[in-house]
Amino acid sequence: MLRRFALVLRVLVSTAGKDAFARAMPLYMGMGLVAAVVFGGNGMHPSQLTGLAGESPLFRVALWGAWLLVGTPAARALLRAPATFFLRALPVPRRELLSAHALLLAVAELPWAALWAVGAGALAGCAACAAALAARCMLLARPRGARELSALALLAGAIALGAPASVLLACAAPALAVGLRAAVVRAPEVAAGRERSMIPSAAPALVALSFAYLAALLRGHRAVLVRGLALAAIGALAAAAWARNSGRLGGEPLAAASLVALAPVALCAGAGLSGPVLREERRLAWLLDACGTAAGLRAGAVAAAVAAPLAALALGHGAVVGALTGAAPSLALRLVGGAGLAGLLLAAIALGCVRWSVRQDGRDSSRVLLSVLAAIAASIAAAWTLGELALAAFAPAAALLAGPVGARWISPRRGRGAAAGEGRAL
């Protein structure tokens, strides 16, 4: 039995596990950077965050919702990978197949369990892990029938009401048992949705090309957008928790804290959005060349496609920070405006980092990671020391890296490998 279970687990890891890891890595890297800022040095302790979640129902629900958004793309990749569907037809006991899936899904919940274990004790960590795993399986299973809906309602009520760890664990057990089985069994049944045109008719060239890139993002890379939303939610919650815990709810300190939390989130999300958009740009290069599309229009469309969703996430970040800290209307407007502008500028910087890193020589991933980490360190330092004046420092870098001049300056430095790669793509 152990050998059979180990073989099933090995097949899952070598197939769906790779895709799940690729989807989870950018998110966990972003969360690690936010956690290092919030919990490191003179920051807050995890017990203060879990205590705040226990006291504030709104903050608790927002925190749980953000975490469920973070891990759902990786869990979906693990459960719905077509390469693993054949396992359901093999003479493998159902309990072993479910246990293998549960073990891999539980690995993704370790940061969440560690947060609650350090902040509220080992029992709270186990309860949080089980509840998050059950809720995620329920969401992916799309509950049907009275039994599944009742189990989901019981779990949701325990989370929303802030039940003690023992009660939460007891409510999560039936939801996990029902949800895991339903998620694994129904994974091959999920049908692809119908695609509709997103490009408005009679739109200007810049708008049409930007919408074409956005359509490619929504149709083929929705997980990237979900990860960006999750990172933005986590950054907003971290900034609000730090501000409320430290008592720095004034204009300048709160605005600086919002930008410090937003910088790593926006750059990680921007890098995740830039990759698919730049690949789509290279794929359409022959058509753009044939149409005589100007370099400025190309660069502007790519920058708009990356900046538009990130600006929306940044605006939401500022609104959540203002709401959770009880900021006055003028201060809330200031937070939203500063975050939106920072999102636009940081999106351009992330786009420039990814464009510079892509050279098709086998080391693109390492360069993307190093360049984004360097941009994160510089942006956090600027936001921490300059506050809102850091936006003035972001502006010239964004204009240089994302504009047509920057695109022309970066492109020749890709070398022969990129030219050969683009030629093969054409």
Side-chain angles (χ1 to χ4, degrees):
M1 183 182 69
L2 291 177
R3 288 187 60 187
R4 185 171 59 235
F5 177 77
L7 183 59
V8 171
L9 189 63
R10 179 181 176 183
V11 171
L12 285 176
V13 171
S14 60
T15 54
K18 293 181 178 180
D19 188 22
F21 176 78
R23 292 173 182 267
M25 185 181 67
L27 279 170
Y28 282 67
M29 183 180 72
M31 287 191 300
L33 292 169
V34 173
V37 173
V38 174
F39 298 124
N42 297 323
M44 64 188 305
H45 191 269
S47 61
Q48 296 170 326
L49 181 62
T50 56
L52 182 60
E55 297 172 0
S56 172
L58 177 62
F59 184 82
R60 178 172 59 252
V61 172
L63 187 63
W64 274 89
W67 175 252
L68 292 177
L69 279 176
V70 165
T72 297
R76 183 184 293 111
L78 181 64
L79 288 172
R80 298 180 182 173
T84 64
F85 289 168
F86 76 97
L87 292 174
R88 295 158 174 81
L90 296 180
V92 178
R94 182 63 58 83
R95 63 178 180 275
E96 296 181 15
L97 184 61
L98 296 179
S99 300
H101 281 89
L103 181 60
L104 293 181
L105 290 171
V107 172
E109 309 294 346
L110 289 179
W112 184 247
L115 171 66
W116 286 91
V118 175
L123 181 60
C126 294
C129 181
L133 185 57
R136 206 180 305 284
C137 290
M138 278 290 188
L139 292 175
L140 293 175
R142 300 179 181 180
R144 312 169 188 169
R147 184 176 62 174
E148 296 178 11
L149 292 174
S150 299
L152 178 60
L154 182 64
L155 176 62
I159 293 175
L161 296 176
S166 57
V167 177
L168 180 60
L169 187 59
C171 294
L176 178 57
V178 173
L180 179 62
R181 183 183 183 280
V184 173
V185 170
R186 295 173 190 162
E189 303 174 4
V190 179
R194 297 178 59 186
E195 295 183 356
R196 298 180 180 179
S197 177
M198 293 180 53
I199 304 176
S201 58
L206 177 61
V207 176
L209 188 55
S210 301
F211 269 90
Y213 292 142
L214 286 173
L217 274 177
L218 288 175
R219 291 173 179 172
H221 305 276
R222 293 180 184 177
V224 176
L225 297 172
V226 173
R227 287 198 296 267
L229 178 61
L231 284 174
I234 290 175
L237 293 173
W242 179 86
R244 291 186 60 172
N245 180 71
S246 61
R248 300 182 181 181
L249 301 177
E252 289 292 339
L254 186 56
S258 176
L259 290 179
V260 168
L262 178 62
V265 167
L267 287 170
C268 289
L273 294 169
S274 299
V277 172
L278 289 176
R279 285 195 296 271
E280 194 68 15
E281 181 194 32
R282 291 196 296 273
R283 190 178 71 84
L284 296 177
W286 68 273
L287 181 59
L288 298 177
D289 290 339
C291 295
T293 307
L297 193 150
R298 297 188 189 193
V302 171
V306 175
L310 195 55
L313 295 177
L315 290 172
H317 168 97
V320 171
V321 171
L324 293 178
T325 55
S330 58
L331 179 56
L333 184 61
R334 177 178 171 184
L335 291 172
V336 172
L341 180 57
L344 290 173
L345 297 176
L346 292 172
I349 294 174
L351 174 62
C353 291
V354 176
R355 191 189 292 275
W356 171 83
S357 303
V358 176
R359 305 178 190 177
Q360 305 289 344
D361 59 357
R363 295 192 296 271
D364 292 350
S365 299
S366 300
R367 277 192 294 269
V368 169
L369 180 62
L370 292 177
S371 61
V372 172
L373 285 177
I376 287 173
S379 60
I380 289 178
W384 186 264
T385 56
L386 301 177
E388 291 173 298
L389 293 178
L391 298 175
F394 296 160
L400 175 63
L401 292 174
V405 176
R408 287 196 300 268
W409 178 75
I410 291 173
S411 297
R413 295 174 178 269
R414 295 181 184 175
R416 297 179 180 177
E422 292 180 358
R424 287 192 297 269
L426 296 178

